[in-house]
Amino acid sequence: SPGNKIAKSDTKLKTCKVDVNTFIPIVITNEWEEYFKSPVCHHDKTIKRGIQLGKRLLSRLKNRNTVKQDIFENLKKGKLNRQKIYSAPFNENIFYRVEKENFKDTFIHISLDLSGSMQGLKLEKTLQTAVAIAYTACYLKNFDVEISVRGTTDERKTQPRPLLAYVFNSKKHSLKELYKLAYLRTNGMTPEGVCLHEIRKSLPKPSYYQDVFLLNISDGLPNINSSQYNFSTAVNHTAKVIRNYKKDGIGVLSYFIS
């Protein structure tokens, strides 16, 4: 039952403040299969295609696993070069310095619209893209990907609630978790701003050592079929949330699927 779902430890009911007078309840869960799993495996070929694309992408990004190293010799100070000690006159510089350059840590959160209108080819292309990027994160150093999906609960006795489900995190999941996404199904409406607001709270902070990005994929305007969150209210709130991402220094990439 819906009550039992929310009672689970990995599922929480929170409240999102849209404006001074509007508060929207949202279900946040790691148990995505409770809400978004189809009894039929519709996307097996799609996931395999995403893995193939991920392998091609990995071949282009594998240089991230290497460390660039430069050695500067004949310096007045630094580390002592033992090979030069025995033959060095007193006026020769016999020190050296090693400089190593790593790629910055990168964290990408991929937020997928799983509203009903995404069913079919839209969802297939979206899953291919997300799986390809996530696959590379399973094999690259300092490159992590998290995937979430969003929709609304299909509780018939109450008003639909925004639903945010986390489906993959390369920091704790293995490749086999990506294959489970072959069972994903769409569910409900498009609570974009509400879900992105909650995602932002849990993202790592961008810094000199780490870049953070949001990749947002959807096919429609924000809406949950509620007088509290539709039309201009939902659109303006979503725009405000995206502005906050940018203020935090988080790179935003948003794609509209038609």
Side-chain angles (χ1 to χ4, degrees), residues 26-163:
I26 173 174
V27 177
I28 304 174
T29 184
N30 290 319
E31 301 287 342
W32 67 267
E33 292 163 308
E34 292 283 345
Y35 298 91
F36 289 101
K37 184 178 180 180
S38 168
V40 180
C41 180
H42 290 292
H43 307 295
D44 183 57
K45 291 183 179 179
T46 299
I47 300 302
K48 290 179 179 178
R49 176 58 177 160
I51 296 295
Q52 291 175 354
L53 293 174
K55 290 178 179 179
R56 290 165 58 182
L57 180 60
L58 179 63
S59 67
R60 297 186 179 187
L61 297 177
K62 61 184 179 181
N63 63 325
R64 287 186 60 95
N65 286 337
T66 63
V67 178
K68 181 181 177 182
Q69 178 172 293
D70 292 317
I71 301 177
F72 300 90
E73 298 191 25
N74 302 321
L75 303 178
K76 293 182 178 180
K77 61 181 179 179
K79 292 184 178 180
L80 189 63
N81 190 334
R82 296 180 181 178
Q83 295 179 350
K84 291 191 174 185
I85 293 177
Y86 76 95
S87 61
F90 289 106
N91 61 349
E92 184 171 341
N93 298 323
I94 58 174
F95 296 95
Y96 72 98
R97 183 178 77 252
V98 178
E99 290 188 359
K100 295 182 179 180
E101 181 180 354
N102 289 314
F103 285 90
K104 290 180 69 172
D105 291 358
T106 300
F107 184 92
I108 301 177
H109 183 98
I110 305 176
S111 177
L112 306 181
D113 175 7
L114 254 63
S115 59
S117 59
M118 285 287 290
Q119 192 170 0
L121 184 60
K122 293 180 184 179
L123 182 56
E124 290 178 12
K125 295 299 183 182
T126 297
L127 279 177
Q128 279 186 20
T129 300
V131 168
I133 298 172
Y135 175 87
T136 63
C138 294
Y139 297 95
L140 289 177
K141 297 177 182 178
N142 306 322
F143 183 84
D144 290 296
V145 170
E146 183 177 58
I147 303 175
S148 69
V149 297
R150 59 181 189 265
T152 53
T153 59
D154 52 2
E155 302 167 18
R156 297 180 180 180
K157 295 182 180 180
T158 61
Q159 197 170 31
R161 291 169 173 167
L163 174 61

Side-chain angles (χ1 to χ4, degrees), residues 8-19:
K8 287 194 172 186
S9 60
D10 280 339
T11 301
K12 298 179 175 61
L13 180 62
K14 294 187 177 182
T15 301
C16 173
K17 181 180 179 181
V18 175
D19 55 39

